[in-house]
Amino acid sequence: MDRRQFLKTTGFTLASAGIGVGPWNQALAQEGPIKVGLLAPLTGVVASGGREMVEGTQFFFDSIGNQVAGRKIELIIEDDASNPDTSLQKARRLVEQNNVHWLIGNLLANTGLAVANYVKGTGTPYFIPIIAADDLTQRQRIKNVVRVAGYSASAFTHPLGDWALKQGYKKIATVSQDYTFGHEQCGGLAQVFTEGGGEIVQQFWHPLNTADFSPYLGQLANMKVDAIFAMETGADATRFIQQYASFGLKGRIPLLGAMNATDQSVIRTLGAECEGIVSPAHFAEGSDNPITKKFVEDYTAKYQKIPSLYGFSMYSGAMWVTEAMKAMGGKIDNREAFIDTVLKTDLTGSPLGKTVKLDQYGNPIYDVYIRKTVKRPDGKYWNVPVETYSNVSQFWKYDPATYLKQPPYSRNFQGIKKG
Amino acid sequence: MTQTTRTLAIGLITVIVAALLPFGLSNYQVGLATEVLIFGILAMSIDILAGFAGRTSLGHGAIFGVSTYVVIYMVSNGVSPVLALGLGILAATLVAAVFALLAVRTSGVYFLLLTLALGMIVWGICLRWTQVTGGENGLRGDIRPQILYDHRSFYWAVLAATAVLAFGIWRFVRSPFGLTLRGIRDSESRMRSLGYNVPLHLFIGFTVSGFFAGVAGGIYAFFNNFVSPSTVALTQSVEGLLMTIVGGVGTLFGSFVGAAAIIALENIVSSHTERWQTVLGITFILIMILAPEGLVGKVRILLGRVRSSKPQALPNPKP
Amino acid sequence: MNTFQILNGLTFSALLFVVASGFTLIFGLLRIVNLAHGALYLIGGYIGYTVGIKSGSFILGGICAMAGVAFIGFILDQGLLRFVRGHELRQVLLTLGFAFVLNDMALVIWGGDSFTVPIPEALRGAVNFFGIFYPKYRLFVLVVGILLFILLWLLLQKTRLGALIRAGVDDAEMVEASGVNIRLVFLITFLLGSALAGLGGLMGGAFLSLYPSADAEILVFSLAIVIIGGRGSLLGVAVGSLLVGILNTFGQVMFPELAYFVIFGPMAVLLAFRPLGLFGKAT
C-alpha cells in the first residue's frame, strides 16, 4: 500500500469515525467471508442461459459446502440484462459497494468486454468461463482476466472446418448473429475450411433478437450448398431451428451449428426439428465418459433438466478458481499471487473427465468433440460425440506468433483464403 | 426577498450541501451522486421543452448518447478531452437541430411519437455502424483525465459544471425567449396571431435543449468510460423523462429531485429484489394518477396554499 | 424479388395487421396511445401457449388468450385510465408504466426462456405453393389477416356499433351529446382492441416465438404502422401493415445494415410533412 493510499485510508477511517457514517472503502479483509460477484443475464435474449449459469455456479459451491479453507463463500448474484451498460453498472456495484474479492460470469461477449474494460482499471480478478471474445486471451490480454474453463470463440470451429472437409463438403453458407462472437465462430470455420479447399458461398449476418429468419431461409433454400453453418444463441437459436424445419430445409441441407445453438438451454424445448444438427464443443452431455455421465445425472436430479453448456462451464470455472483458492489456503487478497496461482492450476476434477490445462495466454486447451443431436429413449434430445479432436489450442495448428499477426475475426476479416 | 433572490439563495445552499456530501458517502455512493448530477442535467434539458414549450420528447436519450459516443471515440483516437467534449456537444446539438426541423410542426402525442421514432433511428445507426460505433460492443475507453480519476475529485468537477449549467438553463427560461416559449405552451394560436414565428421559436428551443442534453452526455462519457447502444436507446429517453416528471415538469430543479429519487430507488430496489421494473412501472402509474405535477411541483402547490396571502403565479400546467 | 420473399413480407404484414388494428381502434376512438399494447400481445401469446400446451387445442388457446387479455385491458381502462381521462400525455405515460409492470410480471410467471405456441397438426409442414415450399402456418396467418380485415370492415360499415365508433373517431363529443352511452362504446372498443393484441400474440407466438422483449418489438412496429396509416382508419392500418411488413422483410434481405432505418426513416419524414399519416383524420 503506498503512501497516498495509506493517507487516504487513515484519513477517511478517522473522518468516518468522526462523522460516524460512511463505509469508506477499506482494504479487503483476510478474514471473513470470501465474496464472489456473479454476473449473469437473468433477463434479455439469453436469459435461459443466464439462469443456468447461476445454477451451475451454485451447484458447485453447494457441493463443497459453500466454504474453502475455513472461510465462508458468499455468492452475490447480479443480473446483467444481456446488456453491456447494465453489466458495467452491476460490476461497479459489486466491486465498489459489495467489495467482492473476485468477479465471475457474464454471457454475451459485449457484456464481458465492458466489465473487462472496467476491471482493467480496478485490478479486480475477473473469470470468464463463458465469454468467448477471442482477443481477451490474445491481442488484448488483460492480466487480471482469466478464461478458466472457458473457450475462445474460434477454438471449436477450427476443428469443425476440418471435419466438414473430411465429410466431403465443398460449399458452405453461414448464417450468424452479427456480433463479435458470431464473427469469430464463423471466421474460425471459414479460415480452416477455405484453406482446405472449401468455399464459403455466402455469409448472412443478422442482429441479435431476429424474430423472423424467413428472408435468410428463403435465399438459403435456393443456394447450392453442401451444408449450412448457423451461429445462433438463445432465443435466436430456438427460432432459427424451428423455422429451418418449417421451411422444409431440414433433411434437405445438412445443418452445422455453433455449440450454443444445440445447447440444452435451446433444444430442451424443441422436438424433432433439432435432430441431427452437428456442432463442436468441449462438452457433450451425451458423452459416455463416466465422470460426465455422473455429473449429468446429478445435475438432472437436482434441477430436473439436463445440464447445458452454461451450467457446465460455470461449474467447472468455479471449481477451477476454488482449486486455486484452496492452494492458497483461502488467503487470496494478494491479487497478483491469486491470478498467478489460477494460471498455474490444472483442472483435474471437472465433469469432462480429463485434466485441462491453461495455455500461456490464459486459455484452456481441450479435446473438442464433434457432436450430433440425437433422441434419447425418454424422448429428450441431447448431444452425443461422433468424433474427437485432441488437445486443440485456441490457435488450432497455427503458430501463435503468426496467428496473432493476422487481424481478429470480424465481419470484414473471416480468414477466407483467396483463390 | 424577491422570488429570484430566494431561488438563488436556495440554489447556493444546495450547491454547498452537495459539495459536502462526499465526506459522508462511500466511493460507490459518490459515484451515484455524480450520476444524479449528470442525469439531472439531462432531465432539465427535457424540462426546457416539456415544461416551458409544452412539448414532451422521447428522443433526448438519443441526443445525450450521441455526445457520449463522439467524446469516447475522439479521445480514444488521440483528441484532447476538452476538444472532444466540445465536439460531442456540437454533435448532439446538430442532431437536436435535425430532430427539431422535423418535429416543430407537431405537438402532443404526435411530437412524442416522432421524437421516439427519431431516437430509434439514432439507436439503429449506433447499433449497425460497427466501424465507428463498435456496434453491439460499444466503445470502451479509458478517457478520464488523471487528475479526475478519483471518485470525489470527479464529483466536485461535475458539481461545478452542473451548477453553471443549471444556472444557464434557469436564466434561459426566464429570458424573453423563454417567456415566448411559455406563451407558445399556453396558446399557440394566440402567439401566432400576435405575429410570433412559432416554428422558429420551437426550433431554437429544441436545439438549445439538445445542447444541454449533449453537455450531460459528454460528461457521462468521462464518468462511464464506456458507451453502447443502450445509452441512446429508448429506455434512456424514458428514464430521463421519468426523472423530469417525478421531479415536476416545469420546475427545472425538480429534475435533480427526480434524478435522485429514481437512481436511489433503483439502487435500493435492485439490492433487494429483481423486480425493479415493476417498481418503476408502478411509480410511473402512481405519479400520473396522484402527482402528475411531480414531487417539487406538489410541494410548490402545497406551499402556495400555505402562503396564500401572497399573490401566486399559476402553477405550471401538467403534461 | 422472388415469390418467397413476397410471401414472407405478406405473412408478416398479416400478423402486424392483427396487432395494429387493435392498436388503432383504441387510438382512433379513445385517442389513447396504448403503449402497453405490446405487453398485451406478449401476455396473450403466453396465455395461449400455456392453454395450448395443457389442453392440446390451439383454438382454446386462442379464446383464452383473447379473453385473458381483454380482461387485462378492462383493468387498465376501468381501473387506471379512468383517473386520467382527458389528459392525453398522462394516459400515454400511464400505459407505459403499466407496460413495464406487465412485462415484469410475465417474466416472473413464464421466465426468460423463449416459447413457441404449438401449431395444430393440420397446419404443420409446408405446401407446394407456386413452385416453392412454403410453411402452411404462415399462409394460415395470411388468411386470418385478410379475414380479419373483412370482418372489421363489416363491423365498422354495417353495424350500429361500427357506426358509433366511426362517428366517435370523428367527433366523440357530438356522439355523446346525442344521447349515446359513449362510455360503453369506448369500453367495448378497448376490450376489442386488447383482444386483438392477444390474438396477435397467439398467432405470432407460433412462428416468431415469445420472449421478454417481444412486446417492445411489436409495439414499435404498431406505432410505425399507425403513424404511417393514420389515426382511426382501417384502410390506413391495412396499408400501413403492408408497407411496414414488406419494407422490413426486404430491408432485412437487401440492406441488413440499415435495420430499423428502413421503416423509421420514411415514417419520420411522413410524420414531419403529413402529420396525420396517409389516411388519418384530425383530432
Side-chain angles (χ1 to χ4, degrees):
Chain A
M1 192 187 270
D2 66 16
R3 206 176 102 93
R4 198 157 154 259
Q5 182 84 320
F6 174 76
L7 284 176
K8 249 203 318 194
T9 318
T10 320
F12 289 110
T13 314
L14 291 175
S16 353
I19 299 178
V21 289
W24 191 253
N25 250 346
Q26 285 151 22
L28 298 167
Q30 288 280 32
E31 298 311 312
I34 295 181
K35 295 198 197 167
V36 177
L38 169 60
L39 287 156
L42 300 173
T43 53
V45 63
V46 279
S48 48
R51 218 190 19 254
E52 309 213 12
M53 286 172 66
V54 173
E55 284 167 3
T57 317
Q58 284 174 330
F59 192 46
F60 177 73
F61 283 134
D62 285 344
S63 75
I64 56 165
N66 286 301
Q67 60 163 324
V68 68
R71 285 177 83 175
K72 190 166 155 298
I73 297 176
E74 194 183 309
L75 186 63
I76 307 174
I77 303 168
E78 287 282 8
D79 175 17
D80 75 13
S82 311
N83 176 297
D85 256 302
T86 312
S87 191
L88 176 58
Q89 280 171 35
K90 298 297 175 76
R92 214 180 258 143
R93 189 188 302 175
L94 284 168
V95 169
E96 296 176 25
Q97 188 176 55
N98 299 104
N99 294 317
V100 295
H101 289 85
W102 45 277
L103 288 171
I104 188 171
N106 287 117
L107 194 160
L108 290 175
N110 54 359
T111 59
L113 288 169
V115 176
N117 189 50
Y118 171 67
V119 299
K120 194 162 66 166
T122 64
T124 316
Y126 175 44
F127 301 109
I128 46 171
I130 313 267
I131 301 291
D134 281 352
D135 258 1
L136 282 176
T137 50
Q138 292 174 6
R139 296 162 200 85
Q140 294 202 25
R141 179 103 195 283
I142 299 174
K143 237 181 5 163
N144 47 315
V145 178
V146 183
R147 209 190 319 264
V148 285
Y151 44 86
S152 53
S154 52
F156 299 155
T157 48
H158 287 140
L160 182 68
D162 187 81
W163 184 85
L165 289 165
K166 294 213 307 232
Q167 306 308 303
Y169 296 149
K170 297 261 185 310
K171 295 180 193 236
I172 290 183
T174 69
V175 181
S176 165
Q177 291 172 315
D178 190 5
Y179 73 126
T180 317
F181 187 60
H183 305 153
E184 291 175 351
Q185 288 222 23
C186 289
L189 174 74
Q191 182 159 9
V192 174
F193 189 66
T194 51
E195 284 177 4
E199 187 193 333
I200 300 287
V201 172
Q202 190 162 348
Q203 301 192 276
F204 295 99
W205 308 103
H206 65 84
L208 283 165
N209 247 333
T210 295
D212 194 0
F213 288 96
S214 56
Y216 312 104
L217 294 170
Q219 296 177 69
L220 285 168
N222 291 330
M223 274 179 202
K224 303 263 175 292
V225 287
D226 299 314
I228 293 174
F229 173 70
M231 198 332 277
E232 306 291 340
T233 67
D236 284 346
T238 312
R239 287 189 287 270
F240 182 85
I241 295 175
Q242 283 170 333
Q243 293 175 25
Y244 195 82
S246 74
F247 275 82
L249 285 165
K250 178 174 184 297
R252 274 182 46 211
I253 307 180
L255 183 58
L256 307 173
M259 62 190 166
N260 314 74
T262 54
D263 186 53
Q264 279 296 322
S265 56
V266 171
I267 63 178
R268 217 177 263 143
T269 53
L270 292 173
E273 57 266 24
C274 71
E275 190 161 25
I277 307 178
V278 172
S279 59
H282 53 322
F283 174 69
E285 64 275 22
S287 156
D288 51 16
N289 177 302
I291 302 186
T292 310
K293 275 174 87 155
K294 177 154 192 323
F295 171 74
V296 171
E297 275 161 23
D298 290 343
Y299 194 100
T300 313
K302 175 129 194 217
Y303 294 106
Q304 276 84 57
K305 46 167 113 108
I306 309 174
S308 68
L309 188 72
Y310 301 108
F312 157 75
S313 300
M314 292 304 286
Y315 181 93
S316 307
M319 183 188 272
W320 209 322
V321 179
T322 306
E323 283 301 308
M325 290 202 287
K326 249 198 279 186
M328 294 179 81
K331 298 203 190 331
I332 57 170
D333 300 288
N334 180 336
R335 285 170 168 174
E336 284 192 22
F338 182 36
I339 300 277
D340 278 336
T341 314
V342 173
L343 286 170
K344 291 206 198 76
T345 308
D346 293 341
L347 185 66
T348 42
S350 92
L352 288 174
K354 16 188 128 163
T355 305
V356 188
K357 298 184 195 306
L358 289 168
D359 70 11
Q360 60 186 127
Y361 296 84
N363 196 60
I365 303 174
Y366 293 113
D367 290 351
V368 177
Y369 298 121
I370 304 291
R371 330 157 313 159
K372 203 178 227 179
T373 45
V374 300
K375 192 170 176 177
R376 299 195 326 176
D378 67 355
K380 301 203 176 113
Y381 288 85
W382 66 356
N383 291 286
V384 170
V386 297
E387 190 159 331
T388 309
Y389 285 81
S390 301
N391 287 324
V392 177
S393 124
Q394 59 175 318
F395 302 110
W396 185 229
K397 302 191 172 142
Y398 306 114
D399 165 58
T402 323
Y403 184 87
L404 290 176
K405 287 211 190 73
Q406 76 182 29
Y409 293 123
S410 66
R411 270 187 74 149
N412 300 321
F413 175 71
Q414 286 281 296
I416 293 179
K417 183 156 191 277
K418 311 260 186 272
Chain B
M1 214 193 229
T2 66
Q3 195 176 35
T4 312
T5 328
R6 189 166 54 221
T7 312
L8 282 173
I10 295 177
L12 191 58
I13 296 175
T14 316
V15 170
I16 295 178
V17 170
L20 292 173
L21 269 180
F23 294 110
L25 296 177
S26 73
N27 240 356
Y28 181 68
Q29 288 164 327
V30 171
L32 287 183
T34 317
E35 281 189 275
V36 169
L37 293 176
I38 296 174
F39 288 105
I41 296 287
L42 172 63
M44 256 183 129
S45 74
I46 296 175
D47 203 13
I48 294 177
L49 281 179
F52 296 88
R55 299 286 194 274
T56 312
S57 155
L58 273 181
H60 272 62
I63 298 171
F64 171 91
V66 162
S67 179
T68 319
Y69 265 106
V70 169
V71 172
I72 295 194
Y73 182 82
M74 290 292 162
V75 178
S76 301
N77 282 321
V79 175
S80 87
V82 175
L83 182 58
L85 183 60
L87 288 171
I89 297 172
L90 181 63
T93 313
L94 283 173
V95 169
V98 170
F99 278 26
L101 270 175
L102 294 170
V104 285
R105 268 165 250 280
T106 61
S107 65
V109 164
Y110 283 101
F111 182 86
L112 191 76
L113 294 178
L114 180 55
T115 49
L116 189 161
L118 291 168
M120 294 234 63
I121 294 178
V122 170
W123 173 75
I125 294 175
C126 292
L127 187 63
R128 307 296 283 158
W129 197 12
T130 318
Q131 306 281 50
V132 170
T133 63
E136 294 273 4
N137 289 349
L139 292 175
R140 300 182 294 286
D142 188 14
I143 67 170
R144 204 190 285 184
Q146 278 284 36
I147 38 162
L148 296 178
Y149 250 41
D150 165 52
H151 283 83
R152 296 203 309 162
S153 319
F154 187 67
Y155 170 81
W156 281 319
V158 174
L159 179 61
T162 306
V164 171
L165 291 166
F167 181 72
I169 296 178
W170 182 67
R171 292 279 301 169
F172 175 71
V173 300
R174 289 163 53 84
S175 70
F177 187 88
L179 288 174
T180 315
L181 283 183
R182 277 187 251 188
I184 295 174
R185 172 198 70 199
D186 291 334
S187 174
E188 226 174 285
S189 49
R190 192 192 311 148
M191 294 306 282
R192 247 186 264 266
S193 61
L194 286 172
Y196 285 93
N197 185 344
V198 170
L200 180 62
H201 278 86
L202 286 173
F203 173 79
I204 296 175
F206 199 128
T207 311
V208 169
S209 156
F211 167 82
F212 284 106
V215 179
I219 299 177
Y220 183 68
F222 292 106
F223 170 77
N224 212 30
N225 278 321
F226 177 76
V227 66
S228 80
S230 309
T231 317
V232 293
L234 180 58
T235 22
Q236 187 77 274
S237 299
V238 169
E239 275 197 24
L241 179 60
L242 182 57
M243 291 176 187
T244 313
I245 291 178
V246 166
V249 172
T251 61
L252 278 189
F253 300 106
S255 305
F256 293 102
V257 173
I262 298 293
I263 289 177
L265 192 61
E266 204 244 318
N267 262 272
I268 297 173
V269 171
S270 302
S271 341
H272 295 291
T273 161
E274 291 293 326
R275 308 270 71 82
W276 159 240
Q277 218 191 313
T278 302
V279 174
L280 188 65
I282 295 180
T283 308
F284 232 111
I285 294 174
L286 288 176
I287 298 260
M288 285 300 113
I289 295 178
L290 299 172
E293 61 281 324
L295 294 171
V296 175
K298 203 119 185 124
V299 166
R300 280 198 191 167
I301 292 180
L302 292 174
L303 283 179
R305 291 202 197 120
V306 165
R307 242 187 273 116
S308 55
S309 50
K310 290 208 183 134
Q312 273 296 312
L314 288 170
N316 292 309
K318 313 151 197 176
Chain C
M1 261 298 161
N2 60 34
T3 326
F4 212 83
Q5 304 300 3
I6 295 177
L7 276 175
N8 288 338
L10 285 176
T11 51
F12 187 56
S13 300
L15 176 70
L16 291 178
F17 175 74
V18 173
V19 181
S21 61
F23 190 72
T24 209
L25 269 176
I26 297 174
F27 185 32
L29 181 59
L30 285 75
R31 291 163 180 74
I32 298 174
V33 177
N34 182 10
L35 294 181
H37 202 72
L40 293 176
Y41 164 93
L42 183 61
I43 296 207
Y46 278 139
I47 294 177
Y49 166 79
T50 309
V51 171
I53 292 270
K54 294 236 160 83
S55 72
S57 162
F58 186 74
I59 300 203
L60 188 60
I63 295 175
C64 290
M66 293 178 73
V69 170
F71 177 66
I72 297 176
F74 181 82
I75 296 177
L76 174 59
D77 184 55
Q78 296 296 303
L80 293 173
L81 284 171
R82 62 194 286 222
F83 294 109
V84 289
R85 296 251 185 258
H87 294 99
E88 267 187 14
L89 282 182
R90 269 195 248 176
Q91 288 169 340
V92 173
L93 297 172
L94 189 148
T95 60
L96 184 61
F98 195 68
F100 286 166
V101 177
L102 281 183
N103 180 284
D104 208 28
M105 290 297 101
L107 186 64
V108 170
I109 301 175
W110 283 280
D113 283 349
S114 186
F115 295 111
T116 314
V117 175
I119 300 178
E121 263 316 318
L123 294 173
R124 285 189 207 164
V127 281
N128 202 328
F129 193 76
F130 290 119
I132 53 162
F133 273 98
Y134 202 74
K136 265 193 235 178
Y137 183 75
R138 290 187 73 125
L139 292 172
F140 167 71
V141 172
L142 181 58
V143 167
V144 170
I146 297 175
L147 274 177
L148 182 66
F149 177 75
I150 296 174
L151 278 174
L152 284 175
W153 187 83
L154 285 173
L155 172 75
L156 287 176
Q157 299 294 334
K158 303 287 183 198
T159 67
R160 181 171 147 78
L161 176 64
L164 287 172
I165 292 177
R166 275 185 296 123
V169 169
D170 284 339
D171 193 334
E173 279 171 5
M174 277 303 285
V175 179
E176 194 156 13
S178 54
V180 171
N181 185 353
I182 196 82
R183 290 265 124 247
L184 188 58
V185 175
F186 281 179
L187 180 60
I188 294 177
T189 310
F190 202 98
L191 294 181
L192 178 59
S194 305
L196 284 170
L199 177 65
L202 173 82
M203 295 180 55
F207 72 102
L208 297 176
S209 80
L210 303 165
Y211 48 94
S213 48
D215 56 344
E217 289 165 20
I218 205 86
L219 177 67
V220 161
F221 281 126
S222 304
L223 284 173
I225 292 169
V226 164
I227 289 176
I228 292 175
R231 188 193 135 253
S233 159
L234 183 65
L235 186 57
V237 180
V239 170
S241 305
L242 270 174
L243 278 175
V244 172
I246 293 184
L247 275 175
N248 187 58
T249 305
F250 287 133
Q252 269 185 289
V253 174
M254 297 200 285
F255 311 109
E257 294 302 306
L258 296 180
Y260 280 120
F261 191 84
V262 175
I263 300 166
F264 284 99
M267 176 187 133
V269 172
L270 183 67
L271 192 55
F273 296 108
R274 210 190 146 82
L276 296 174
L278 293 171
F279 301 94
K281 305 169 170 77
T283 319

